Amino acid sequence: MIQRSQLDLRKFVAPEFICGHGALRLAGRYARNFGMRHVLLVTDPGVRAAGWAEAVADSLTEAGVSFTVFDAVSSNPRSRQVMAGKEAYLAEECNGIVTVGGGSPMDCAKGIGIASSNMRDILAFEGVDRVPVPAPPLICIPTTAGSSADVSQFAIITDEERKRKIAIVSKTLVPDISLLDPEPLTTMPRELTVDTGMDTLSHAIEAYVSNASSPMTDVHALEAIRLITSALPAAIEEPDDLDLRFSTLLASLHAGLAFSNASLGAVHAMAHSLGGAYDLVHGRCNALLLEHVMAANYEAASDRYERIGAIVGRGESTPAEKVAAFRRALGVTETLAEAGVREDAIPALAAAAYNDPCMVTNPRSPACDEIERIYMHAF
């Protein structure tokens, strides 16, 4: 069992954030307040098609802030996309970054910022506290409720050559402000709502059982679990309900504040490995792994998992079984094999997960063969 004391030294970092309907339209005002003259507006084609990038661009124009759009961002942002953004940032003589979108544009924007300020390849910053020069001012406007990239000190970038995701963790990656508006979430398709919601739940659960948790992160983690398990099923059925969408966005905010400071665990380490090798959707990877990691970790943090289970569902089943039932109720029923993962790839996936920084704060330290068994349970 993990031995914790509320007197253990802990730090807590968070950006400024503004929540509520219409927050998106404050982008121009804050860009001007930060002294931005010409910004790189980082987004992706889907967000542009939905009209949210244009709404942010209009706000910038009204505030007298010029911009260059960079939307060459895919799901699971690639290192080459970050470096292309860096070249655009420097060529256009930008002095700030505004990003509107889900976790992929926001992580790409973070990468562009530190690559530009440090004049180095983004892959050089892998690990914890390895960014010497802070990034330029960064404003985030999330259009999904799940990644929490808008409030965290994490950025996850795909190393295409090695087919693996790297984690960059640094206080320099904490955005200057997040504008949390529920309206953009109304254009999310059902599957994206589910996947990002399961990402929120995974963030909150892993932060709560992390060996770096604290009373400050516990408050946020538990509230995130409560909010997402109550609001997500309803938001899927009523996607235009702004109150429900705001509840999922608030859950993502709480989960982000928790995991940014307590870090994560084996679910994310294993999901990063899967996403790097197979380019799978991150939230879906988490959804397929979460219950199996919970079962493997249970003895190391049983009291905490039991508290999680009491929030997720009623009955005599285990916390992992309650999370599994919640996942299935959302329509997530496939296995890793059905997602295209090959069984003979599992040893390599486990080796990559074993070396992921998120594994350090897992409540127990599994060996590679144990990680392989967890993958097989999800297979």
Side-chain angles (χ1 to χ4, degrees):
M1 300 290 291
I2 297 172
Q3 298 299 317
R4 293 181 176 90
S5 167
Q6 65 178 357
L7 301 180
D8 291 343
L9 286 173
R10 291 289 188 262
K11 64 180 179 180
F12 193 97
V13 296
E16 181 179 1
F17 51 85
I18 295 179
C19 305
H21 192 205
L24 174 148
R25 291 166 177 81
L26 299 175
R29 178 192 304 179
Y30 278 92
R32 187 178 60 209
N33 288 350
F34 286 131
M36 298 183 185
R37 300 180 303 277
H38 189 93
V39 307
L40 192 69
L41 179 55
V42 180
T43 186
D44 66 32
V47 175
R48 291 193 78 175
W52 303 118
E54 182 179 359
V56 172
D58 289 344
S59 176
L60 293 170
T61 299
E62 290 169 9
V65 179
S66 60
F67 60 88
T68 296
V69 176
F70 180 80
D71 68 353
V73 183
S74 62
S75 177
N76 299 317
R78 279 79 160 144
S79 55
R80 62 177 171 81
Q81 294 169 344
V82 172
M83 299 313 292
K86 171 199 169 223
E87 294 306 316
Y89 182 91
L90 297 174
E92 297 296 328
E93 299 182 350
C94 300
N95 72 329
I97 300 174
V98 175
T99 179
V100 53
S104 295
M106 289 192 284
D107 276 357
C108 190
K110 290 180 175 184
I112 291 168
I114 59 173
S116 300
S117 62
N118 289 273
M119 296 301 290
R120 297 177 66 190
D121 188 279
I122 189 60
L123 299 178
F125 304 109
E126 180 178 8
V128 180
D129 293 335
R130 298 189 61 191
V131 183
V133 181
L138 173 63
I139 297 173
C140 289
I141 304 104
T143 61
T144 65
S147 76
S148 309
D150 55 302
V151 295
S152 81
Q153 55 180 325
F154 283 67
I156 308 298
I157 306 296
T158 297
D159 178 344
E160 296 162 282
E161 184 175 337
R162 293 184 290 172
K163 290 189 176 181
R164 59 184 291 267
K165 288 187 174 185
I166 68 161
I168 305 171
V169 187
S170 170
K171 290 187 291 296
T172 64
L173 292 177
V174 178
D176 291 275
I177 190 168
S178 175
L179 304 176
L180 295 149
D181 192 326
E183 188 178 5
L185 275 61
T186 60
T187 58
M188 294 170 64
R190 179 188 178 99
E191 190 167 299
L192 183 60
T193 299
V194 170
D195 289 341
T196 54
M198 286 302 297
D199 198 15
T200 291
L201 182 60
S202 301
H203 286 153
I205 289 175
E206 292 218 283
Y208 187 60
V209 302
S210 162
N211 58 33
S213 64
S214 71
M216 296 84 74
T217 60
D218 288 350
V219 168
H220 292 290
L222 291 172
E223 181 63 2
I225 296 167
R226 185 191 69 79
L227 280 168
I228 201 64
T229 53
S230 61
L232 181 59
I236 292 167
E237 299 304 321
E238 300 180 66
D240 295 326
D241 188 310
L242 287 180
D243 287 324
L244 290 172
R245 289 294 194 177
F246 183 72
S247 291
T248 64
L249 192 61
L250 192 58
S252 179
L253 169 65
H254 280 297
L257 294 173
F259 89 78
S260 180
N261 291 282
S263 195
L264 295 160
V267 176
H268 274 77
M270 295 172 68
H272 292 159
S273 181
L274 280 173
Y278 285 91
D279 199 28
L280 297 173
V281 174
H282 175 66
R284 184 57 56 101
C285 291
N286 285 340
L288 299 181
L289 292 166
L290 179 56
E291 69 217 50
H292 304 291
V293 172
M294 289 177 66
N297 281 345
Y298 179 81
E299 293 301 328
S302 58
D303 289 348
R304 290 188 166 241
Y305 280 121
E306 287 296 333
R307 188 166 186 185
I308 290 166
I311 297 172
V312 175
R314 298 177 181 177
E316 300 301 321
S317 56
T318 69
E321 290 168 340
K322 290 176 181 178
V323 166
F326 180 76
R327 167 184 62 79
R328 290 192 297 269
L330 299 177
V332 182
T333 58
E334 72 261 44
T335 63
L336 289 183
E338 291 167 341
V341 179
R342 291 175 44 179
E343 186 173 349
D344 61 5
I346 286 179
L349 292 171
Y354 180 82
N355 290 306
D356 189 286
C358 291
M359 197 64 81
V360 174
T361 43
N362 195 63
R364 58 185 292 269
S365 299
C368 265
D369 62 337
E370 294 177 283
I371 299 170
E372 289 182 29
R373 285 197 291 274
I374 297 171
Y375 276 126
M376 284 304 302
H377 284 306
F379 201 77

